[in-house]
Amino acid sequence: MTVSNVARAAMAVLIAAAFAGAARAEIKNYEFQLVQPTVKAGADRIVTVRLVDKTTGKAVSDAVIFASRLDMAPDGMQEMATKVTAMPGTEPGTYRFKATFGMAGRWQLSLGAKVQGETGTVENKLVVTAEK
């Protein structure tokens, strides 16, 4: 290969890499959204969230949820935490969690997830209101 052919090949690789990077969304373009912002206080309540690509508005399926926590941090009681159990989603792009809401008030659902094909982590804190 001559020097000009090597330069052309290198330029082609750089251009392809730039287009590949532009085609992928950034991890900050994803967010979890509550399907229903309120639940009844009590045992075995289901909270459903949707993972959305904010640039397209479409739900994102097949994310791997690796962190979840539910506590009363919005009401200044972060030590009041409860166990969260992942449940199967009912629609593509939805993720369900079962938990006990021991009292009425605002509960913070903290989620961490990996989106397939993306680097980085989607992290959101959502406030669910438990009512009597």
Side-chain angles (χ1 to χ4, degrees):
M1 252 202 227
T2 66
V3 173
S4 64
N5 286 342
V6 170
R8 282 189 201 128
M11 183 61 77
V13 168
L14 288 173
I15 291 171
F19 280 114
R24 285 189 9 192
E26 292 185 37
I27 203 70
K28 69 180 180 179
N29 291 336
Y30 296 94
E31 72 176 359
F32 284 102
Q33 300 172 345
L34 287 170
V35 171
Q36 184 72 287
T38 60
V39 296
K40 290 281 188 190
D44 297 332
R45 302 300 183 206
I46 303 293
V47 175
T48 304
V49 299
R50 182 177 295 112
L51 180 59
V52 176
D53 179 339
K54 296 186 291 186
T55 60
T56 64
K58 293 184 180 180
V60 178
S61 299
D62 302 325
V64 177
I65 311 292
F66 66 87
S68 59
R69 177 179 166 84
L70 185 64
D71 60 40
M72 290 194 78
D75 286 342
M77 296 183 279
Q78 46 275 49
E79 67 280 352
M80 179 103 172
T82 188
K83 181 181 174 188
V84 179
T85 304
M87 307 289 291
T90 55
E91 304 173 21
T94 62
Y95 303 86
R96 298 171 65 219
F97 303 94
K98 181 169 65 172
T100 297
F101 291 82
M103 63 186 290
R106 294 178 302 155
W107 292 76
Q108 179 172 275
L109 177 61
S110 302
L111 297 171
K114 294 287 187 184
V115 175
Q116 292 188 12
E118 299 293 342
T119 38
T121 301
V122 177
E123 294 181 36
N124 286 129
K125 295 177 191 257
L126 307 169
V127 177
V128 180
T129 302
E131 300 174 334
K132 292 182 181 187

